[in-house]
Amino acid sequence: IEKSCDTIYGIFQEGGEIIIEDKIKVGSMFAGIGGINLGFEQAGCEIAWANEMDKHACKTYRLNLGG
């Protein structure tokens, strides 16, 4: 990631490490068990909300990510 390309999002690379100054907020429709949201969290994003209708997926989501 080059600093000049992504500073609008607060993301830049310094010494091989990606730095996120302000967390990017993500909304998740059809969240399932939360796999993609877990990836977003590990990348430094904030999950603002998640939506899932399947009750079994919701239980698993809560175990994986809380909420």
Side-chain angles (χ1 to χ4, degrees):
I1 299 173
E2 292 184 24
K3 188 173 182 177
S4 61
C5 294
D6 294 313
T7 53
I8 191 168
Y9 299 110
I11 300 172
F12 61 94
Q13 189 170 6
E14 183 176 288
E17 183 178 348
I18 296 176
I19 308 296
I20 300 179
E21 292 179 333
D22 296 318
K23 286 191 174 188
I24 297 170
K25 291 186 180 181
V26 177
S28 181
M29 292 186 69
F30 315 109
I33 62 171
I36 193 72
N37 291 359
L38 183 59
F40 278 124
E41 282 189 345
Q42 290 173 350
C45 299
E46 176 185 338
I47 308 301
W49 56 267
N51 180 48
E52 178 56 58
M53 293 181 66
D54 183 276
K55 66 181 179 179
H56 301 294
C58 288
K59 283 183 180 181
T60 305
Y61 183 96
R62 286 186 188 108
L63 289 172
N64 288 337
L65 293 156

